[in-house]
């Protein structure tokens, strides 16, 4: 049966980078037909309509239809997957949290439209920043839709972390696994290498051989590089990441639907796991099993790691308070 995929902000940069890959089957697989619903605001309709024409010209065998609309009720009608991308990106010198006031107001109405019109199995992935708290806003507004169906993208951070670790170990990135992101998609995030493996073997000894004091390397090099990569991209290319973000969003949904054979990372609702306050959308090490994200349990966090997780979670709590004060939840 054809799956309905709604992409908000489809006329924007990330939208353009993801549409053609989704139509080609990179997200749901080469035997799954898709129908795309592109949601834009009136100013973005031309760009989205242009993308729809190009999708038609791509003659994608799996693409059963494309609809462009500025009406959320139409866009989310029957949606099985909703990629909430549409939001303003930050510019140089900004933190993602600075976008809360500008972008937060987008996600309540979209959450309500999802509750009213989407399929009961809808899976929502929020990309628009600040992604974790926007996902919380959307979920809070979506009466009747389980909070587990709302997620925030932190897979880009994990992909960056694996890539940086692979570079440090002079190894192909595909061999590096178990580098989860804890916390917020922000500069406070904690990319955790304490369980990382290379071809299934722990990397601790190789890192010690390469860097001596591995903790110092993490604090001074690895963590800042990963956590501030978004800002680095903005500085180097003049605007925020696009193709890597689109690719990570596709990875996130593909794994959610098809399952994982190891850990990955996603912003998912907390039920109190690892002491994270209930209801926050926090990034954890996760597996996808039977179409559901499951937080990896039983991991040891030493005092140093605990403090890093706590710092990022504190920021999530502050963001939740800020959107509460703005009347967004
Ligand atoms: P962009 O400005 O190129 O595109 C955003 C699009 O959203 C525009 O076309 C705009 O018209 C549309 N839009 C705005 N409000 C909308 C609404 N209410 N409904 C539907 N569409 C709406 O920006 P971009 O580069 O595509 O980035 C989009 C968002 O993704 C930004 O907030 C950015 O910070 C974020 N982002 C997140 C990650 C992540 O890993 N979570 C990575 C990269 C970018
Ligand atoms: C990223 O991580 O690249 C995005 O969240 C964009 C940004 O503002 O950093």
């Amino acid at each position: 049966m054809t799956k309905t995929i709604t992409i908000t902000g489809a006329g924007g940069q990330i939208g353009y980078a993801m549409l053609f890959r989704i139509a080609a089957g990179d997200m749901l697989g080469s035997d799954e037909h898709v129908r795309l619903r592109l949601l834009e605001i009136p100013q973005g309709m031309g760009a989205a309509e242009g993308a729809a024409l190009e999708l038609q010209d791509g003659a994608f065998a799996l693409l059963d239809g494309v609809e462009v609309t500025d009406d959320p009720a139409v866009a989310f009608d029957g949606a099985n997957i909703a990629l909430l991308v549409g939001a303003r990106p930050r510019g140089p010198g900004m933190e993602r949290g600075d976008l809360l006031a500008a972008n937060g107001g987008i996600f309540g109405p979209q959450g309500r439209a999802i509750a009213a019109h989407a399929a009961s199995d809808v899976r929502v992935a929020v990309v628009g920043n600040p992604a974790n708290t926007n996902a919380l806003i959307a979920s809070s507004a979506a009466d009747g839709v389980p909070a587990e169906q709302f997620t925030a993208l932190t897979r880009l951070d994990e992909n960056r972390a694996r890539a940086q670790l692979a570079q440090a170990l002079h190894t192909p990135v595909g061999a590096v696994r178990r580098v989860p992101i804890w916390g917020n998609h922000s500069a406070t995030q904690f990319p955790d290498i304490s369980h990382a493996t290379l071809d299934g073997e722990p990397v601790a000894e190789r890192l010690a051989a390469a860097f001596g004091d591995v903790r110092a390397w993490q604090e001074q090099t690895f963590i800042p590089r990963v956590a501030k990569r978004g800002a680095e991209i903005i500085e180097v290319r003049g605007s925020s990441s696009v193709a890597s973000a689109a690719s990570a969003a596709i990875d996130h949904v593909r794994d959610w639907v098809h399952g994982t054979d190891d850990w990955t990372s996603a912003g998912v609702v907390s039920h109190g796991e690892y002491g994270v306050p209930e209801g926050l959308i926090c990034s954890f090490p996760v597996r996808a099993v039977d179409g559901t994200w499951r937080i990896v349990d039983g991991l040891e966090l030493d005092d140093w790691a605990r403090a890093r997780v706590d710092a990022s979670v504190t920021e999530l709590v502050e963001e939740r308070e800020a959107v509460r004060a703005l009347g967004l939840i």
Side-chain angles (χ1 to χ4, degrees):
M1 207 184 72
T2 302
K3 293 280 190 270
T4 299
I5 301 168
T6 304
I7 297 134
T8 75
Q13 298 279 335
I14 296 175
Y16 193 72
M18 64 173 39
L19 291 174
F20 300 87
R21 289 194 54 199
I22 295 171
D26 288 355
M27 189 167 82
L28 293 187
S30 56
D31 54 359
E32 191 79 74
H33 284 242
V34 295
R35 178 186 305 112
L36 300 183
R37 296 257 172 71
L38 315 188
L39 178 67
E40 261 295 347
I41 50 176
Q43 305 89 290
M45 286 293 283
E49 278 162 0
L53 295 181
E54 285 201 69
L55 281 164
Q56 189 180 22
D57 294 349
F60 293 101
L62 296 170
L63 184 58
D64 287 356
V66 184
E67 203 171 334
V68 183
T69 179
D70 59 4
D71 180 352
V74 174
F76 292 112
D77 186 33
N80 304 107
I81 309 280
L83 287 153
L84 307 191
V85 181
R88 210 182 111 190
R90 67 172 165 156
M94 293 172 77
E95 290 299 332
R96 298 177 188 99
D98 297 338
L99 293 168
L100 257 187
N103 288 342
I106 294 172
F107 292 86
Q110 290 184 356
R112 279 190 285 281
I114 287 168
H117 303 285
S120 59
D121 69 350
V122 66
R123 291 180 169 88
V124 182
V126 176
V127 177
N129 276 319
N132 299 54
T133 298
N134 288 337
L136 174 72
I137 295 169
S139 174
S140 303
D143 279 346
V145 184
E148 290 72 18
Q149 290 174 226
F150 284 81
T151 63
L153 184 72
T154 55
R155 180 61 170 267
L156 176 57
D157 305 297
E158 182 192 309
N159 288 349
R160 289 168 171 165
R162 288 178 51 228
Q164 290 299 320
L165 192 55
Q167 192 179 35
L169 294 169
H170 307 289
T171 186
V173 69
V176 176
R177 312 293 285 267
R178 297 196 170 190
V179 191
I181 305 297
W182 298 81
N184 200 1
H185 173 60
S186 77
T188 67
Q189 67 181 260
F190 174 42
D192 180 5
I193 58 164
S194 58
H195 307 278
T197 59
L198 171 58
D199 288 324
E201 297 297 322
V203 297
E205 276 180 24
R206 289 189 58 157
L207 284 175
F211 299 109
D213 185 344
V214 176
R215 181 139 302 171
W217 174 75
Q218 283 180 85
E219 284 182 337
Q220 289 155 29
T221 306
F222 175 74
I223 294 175
R225 193 77 203 270
V226 173
K228 295 183 185 167
R229 184 65 156 192
E232 183 183 347
I233 302 282
I234 290 169
E235 194 185 310
V236 173
R237 77 184 290 273
S239 65
S240 68
S241 63
V242 174
S244 57
S247 192
I250 286 168
D251 289 345
H252 173 107
V253 174
R254 187 194 56 235
D255 283 354
W256 192 357
V257 171
H258 292 295
T260 50
D261 58 2
D262 211 328
W263 309 352
T264 182
S265 311
V268 297
V269 67
S270 170
H271 306 94
E273 292 88 348
Y274 295 99
V276 176
E278 245 178 86
L280 289 179
I281 305 274
C282 179
S283 187
F284 289 99
V286 291
R287 294 176 184 277
V289 182
D290 298 332
T292 306
W293 289 120
R294 307 241 175 104
I295 295 170
V296 177
D297 61 14
L299 299 177
E300 291 292 325
L301 290 168
D302 64 17
D303 290 349
W304 176 82
R306 184 75 251 175
R308 291 198 165 260
V309 173
D310 287 350
S312 199
V313 169
T314 297
E315 184 184 45
L316 285 172
V317 170
E318 288 166 1
E319 289 185 7
R320 180 165 68 179
E321 281 162 11
V323 295
R324 215 171 251 149
L326 289 167
L328 297 173
I329 57 170

